[in-house]
Amino acid sequence: MIEVLYFAWVRERIGVPREKVETGAATVADLVEELKAREERYAAAFADVSALRVALDQELAEFSAPLSGVSEVAFFPPMTGG
Amino acid sequence: MRVRVQPEPFDYGAECAGFGQGGRDVGAVVTFLGVVRDDSGALARMEIEHYPGMTEKAIAAIAEEATARWALADVLVIHRHGALVPGEAIMMVATAARHRAAAFAAAEFLMDYLKSRAPFWKKEYGPDGAEWVAAKDEDETALKRW
């Protein structure tokens, strides 16, 4: 079980800020494919992953990164701080 | 080193007063204040979303890197989230070093990294609705000089 968080327009498209996901996905990219196959709102949010960033346990990561041992995954658009 | 992420306004003058001073090894203090700008002339307000937990960690990591790289005597970062109106202060950084070149460089480094590596997202509200602020290519390019 992984806690999946969404921020900004990713959160708006999916409709929830966070959810628990039962998954056997080996990598972030595999998890994205699983979510996209679920429902249209996920497919819409993840249509272009080059427009997205991912953090694993609150550290920026790549979509190719493995999920083993990870408890929190967050998807969001490029950050606009400052 | 101090990092604060908060919805409340902060008192820039009070934060700057006394920052980095009092020691014998500080010769330069640089402070920067970021303010909500209205480019369209119709911005009603801005909402800043963030990732509680990661935000504080990401800023602390950036501040620690700046401290090590420019041998800073002190560093302060305050960043707000929530609703802000044009003219309001969003964030500030302050750096204290032996010499001004280090204090200026560290402050610019902090600003460049906060823009695209701290998990904040800005949404602008105007008469035609709301829009997420898109990250700029030049913000990513700005990191390459460091």
Side-chain angles (χ1 to χ4, degrees), chain B residues 6 20 31 35 41 43 54 57 59 61 70 78 96 104 118 136:
Chain B
Q6 61 186 49
T31 61
V35 178
L43 179 66
M54 179 173 169
K57 275 194 251 179
I59 299 176
W70 286 280
I78 302 175
F104 273 116
K136 297 189 187 80

Side-chain angles (χ1 to χ4, degrees), chain B residues 62 65-66 69-70 105-114 146:
Chain B
I62 295 163
E65 189 177 339
R69 202 156 152 183
W70 286 280
E108 284 218 83
F109 167 88
L110 285 164
M111 288 310 309
D112 283 348
Y113 271 81
L114 286 166
W146 306 110

Side-chain angles (χ1 to χ4, degrees), chain B residues 84-99:
Chain B
L84 291 97
V85 296
E88 257 193 285
I90 303 183
M91 55 87 62
M92 68 167 289
V93 302
T95 57
R98 291 186 74 82
H99 300 286

Side-chain angles (χ1 to χ4, degrees), chain A residues 49-69:
Chain A
V49 290
S50 71
L52 295 180
R53 301 288 179 268
V54 61
L56 300 180
D57 289 331
Q58 306 190 352
E59 297 264 358
L60 284 174
E62 301 293 329
F63 280 79
S64 57
L67 286 178
S68 68

Side-chain angles (χ1 to χ4, degrees), chain B residues 117-142:
Chain B
R117 291 292 182 273
F120 291 100
W121 301 275
K122 295 185 181 121
K123 193 175 191 179
E124 293 182 338
Y125 290 75
D128 302 325
E131 203 167 338
W132 290 100
V133 175
K136 297 189 187 80
D137 288 341
E138 63 241 44
D139 292 341
E140 201 58 35
T141 310

